Amino acid sequence: MAAPIQKVLIANRGEIALRVQRACREMGIPTVAVHSTADAEAMHVRLADESVCIGPPAARDSYLNAAAILSAAIVTGADAIHPGYGFLSENAAFADMVEAHGLTFIGPSPDHIRMMGDKIAAKAAMASLGVPLVPGSEGEVATLEQARAVCAAIGYPVLVKAAAGGGGRGMKVARDADGLEEAWRVARAEARAAFGNEAVYMEKYLDRPRHIELQVMADAYGHVVHFGERDCSLQRRHQKLLEEAGSPALDATQRARLGTTVTGALRQLGYRNAGTLEFLYQDGQFAFIEMNTRLQVEHPVTEMVCDADLVREQIRVASGEALGYTQSDIVMRGHAIECRITAEDPDSFMPTPGLVSVYHPPGGPGVRVDSALYAGYRVPPFYDSLVAKLIVHAPTRAEAIARLRRSLDEFAVLGIKTTLPLHQRIVEDAQFQAGDYDIHWLERFVAAQ
Ligand code: MV4
């Protein structure tokens, strides 16, 4: 059985490393930072109780170097590892290694990570537990004959997706019977090249859905709760720019119905720790597409509306504690919006690493900034370009937007270009303000600039 956690190694960098440190510090748990040689001056190293250099700048030699990270945990006496998001967070083999060394992986079981990493297995599990899916193939589509049979049943257009894909990687659309063979062959070839697994499946292509995801948390004793949904429809090339909790498209009844279905399914599955189920939502219908077995970048909007600390909950349940509350204790209050501010040119989206000369984050009521920036910091060119998350919370969506506009105006990051000006343009838009958008809205908005 899991024991109380005494020291946490945080296998990540940037704002999420700080986020995990903050939860640990409030719980009285010392932290170990790991860093590449490029991150020696990084804020997550400065604020940790201890730090270990784990390798050269390239992520595969440092933040993805499982052996170096495990060694760092062992030499510093850490008894648990929090993976953050990205990097090793959804690597089942890494979670296995952590457990094999007698350490606690702060996340789901390796078997659940593995299951949800296989999108075909994830869909089969959810379908068998009553979660609605997009019409599509039952499992893998291994032959062209099977592909034709699926299309005869569900009609065009269809999407061919890689079982090992996810997050938009390895998808091909077939608009009609003439395009099917090409889409199926190319998707399989790309899946084999990218993931070493050529298995693909098929779904009816939904033309204008919203991306709505549900945050869940489970302990080791069969208690499962949800913390409501996030609307993550505002994406460009599968990169989210702005997220909201709750979705402007849902009401409390729809939320409760989805929550009951999902928590029931995860209870039967024996799932533990944090998770997010991704749905497409169109014409009043939810369809499950993928599950993420990690803390997500956009978790703060959920924390703001639910007055929760999801990292603390992750650490508590990984320590073997029971949740200690039920669904009716979780109340969504008001509305929260997050802007992901990246070190990118706001027009071309080219990365803009370099020296930050001025850093002045906004403050005041209902404002949270999760960032590892400081004046004098040099944003390295080797990693994700996310440099700050601005999160606002207010009683209503309209008030949250007003708060977001004034916070974006206050925010100063000088020395490098950031996407702050793009966020300012988005929040001025009447359609955004009306909550009237789907997953294609942002691409069109950016193209029209
Ligand atoms: C879809 C879809 C339409 N129909 N599946 C892209 C990322 C991956 N998580 C699933 N994705 C999609 N799956 C069906 N059956 C459209 C997308 C999609 C998308 C989804 C969420 C957010 C942004 C998106 C942008 C393009 C396509």
Side-chain angles (χ1 to χ4, degrees):
M1 199 60 257
I5 289 170
Q6 314 271 10
K7 193 191 256 197
V8 173
L9 180 139
I10 302 164
N12 217 301
R13 64 182 302 282
E15 66 85 19
I16 195 61
L18 293 192
R19 172 68 191 87
V20 177
Q21 273 179 14
R22 285 169 172 149
C24 290
R25 193 141 298 152
E26 290 179 12
M27 297 172 83
I29 304 172
T31 61
V32 179
V34 293
H35 67 91
S36 68
T37 52
D39 275 343
E41 304 296 320
M43 204 62 180
H44 79 280
V45 177
R46 297 187 173 192
L47 290 185
D49 295 301
E50 289 173 69
S51 63
V52 179
C53 182
I54 49 166
R60 87 178 67 79
D61 301 318
S62 50
Y63 298 104
L64 289 169
N65 184 342
I69 290 167
L70 271 169
S71 303
I74 291 162
V75 301
T76 56
D79 54 359
I81 297 184
H82 195 300
Y85 53 68
F87 295 130
L88 296 167
S89 61
E90 293 181 290
N91 185 317
F94 177 67
D96 272 330
M97 287 170 69
V98 172
E99 294 194 348
H101 286 79
L103 308 180
T104 300
F105 181 80
I106 302 174
S109 74
D111 286 343
H112 283 126
I113 298 174
R114 203 169 280 116
M115 170 188 280
M116 300 310 169
D118 177 344
K119 307 302 161 186
I120 291 176
K123 288 184 66 175
M126 291 303 165
S128 76
L129 298 168
V131 179
L133 307 183
V134 193
S137 61
E138 250 186 68
E140 184 184 353
V141 180
T143 68
L144 193 54
E145 288 60 48
Q146 285 174 6
R148 292 206 175 97
V150 171
C151 293
I154 66 173
Y156 291 92
V158 298
L159 262 183
V160 187
K161 297 183 173 184
R169 295 173 309 158
M171 302 194 320
K172 286 282 166 285
V173 189
R175 305 245 159 233
D176 50 41
D178 291 338
L180 179 61
E181 177 166 359
E182 161 103 347
W184 178 79
R185 284 193 194 287
V186 172
R188 263 168 81 85
E190 288 186 5
R192 187 190 306 117
F195 315 114
N197 174 3
E198 65 183 0
V200 296
Y201 61 102
M202 288 171 41
E203 286 177 355
K204 179 90 182 175
Y205 175 73
L206 302 181
D207 61 343
R208 44 181 180 79
R210 300 179 81 110
H211 172 129
I212 292 178
E213 59 186 31
L214 195 75
Q215 176 70 57
V216 298
M217 186 70 69
D219 67 18
Y221 312 100
H223 306 114
V224 186
V225 296
H226 72 85
F227 289 84
E229 82 287 359
R230 297 182 285 262
D231 196 316
C232 305
S233 301
L234 295 187
Q235 313 201 1
R236 180 189 163 271
R237 304 209 179 153
H238 304 299
Q239 298 294 315
K240 295 169 184 165
L241 265 83
L242 182 152
E243 305 97 345
E244 308 195 45
S247 170
L250 288 200
D251 62 30
T253 309
Q254 292 165 296
R255 174 178 306 129
R257 189 148 24 92
L258 181 68
T260 303
T261 305
V262 165
T263 52
L266 292 180
R267 192 172 300 118
Q268 297 213 48
L269 211 57
Y271 191 82
R272 155 168 73 63
N273 216 280
T276 299
L277 289 94
E278 295 188 2
F279 293 86
L280 298 178
Y281 179 74
Q282 184 170 314
D283 303 324
Q285 304 271 90
F286 285 101
F288 169 81
I289 50 170
E290 292 172 26
M291 180 168 182
N292 302 318
T293 55
R294 60 165 194 275
L295 184 72
Q296 299 210 194
V297 176
E298 60 271 26
H299 76 277
V301 289
T302 301
E303 294 188 322
M304 299 289 266
V305 297
C306 295
D307 192 22
D309 180 336
L310 293 171
V311 179
R312 178 187 177 90
E313 296 310 297
Q314 286 192 288
I315 295 169
R316 285 183 55 244
V317 301
S319 302
E321 286 185 45
L323 282 181
Y325 47 84
T326 62
Q327 191 62 53
S328 58
D329 296 317
I330 298 170
V331 182
M332 292 180 75
R333 259 186 54 257
H335 193 89
I337 306 177
E338 171 180 277
C339 288
R340 293 192 190 189
I341 297 149
T342 57
E344 291 174 330
D345 183 297
D347 301 310
S348 69
F349 295 95
M350 291 297 288
T352 55
L355 183 67
V356 175
S357 54
V358 171
Y359 177 64
H360 181 82
V367 177
R368 166 175 170 181
V369 177
D370 280 17
S371 173
L373 285 185
Y374 58 87
Y377 176 64
R378 187 173 287 279
V379 177
F382 308 106
Y383 312 108
D384 188 277
S385 57
L386 181 73
V387 290
K389 304 189 306 201
L390 167 61
I391 307 106
V392 297
H393 181 221
T396 64
R397 185 169 184 271
E399 289 163 290
I401 290 173
R403 191 157 270 173
L404 185 54
R405 292 169 84 166
R406 74 94 177 146
S407 299
L408 287 164
D409 287 343
E410 277 180 38
F411 212 148
V413 181
L414 304 185
I416 58 168
K417 282 190 182 181
T418 72
T419 48
L420 275 165
L422 173 60
H423 283 102
Q424 287 178 305
R425 295 200 290 269
I426 293 170
V427 300
E428 300 300 325
D429 184 88
Q431 250 189 320
F432 169 74
Q433 290 179 8
D436 176 19
Y437 57 77
D438 61 27
I439 62 168
H440 303 296
W441 186 87
L442 186 64
E443 301 270 7
R444 290 192 198 114
F445 179 84
V446 167
Q449 296 296 297

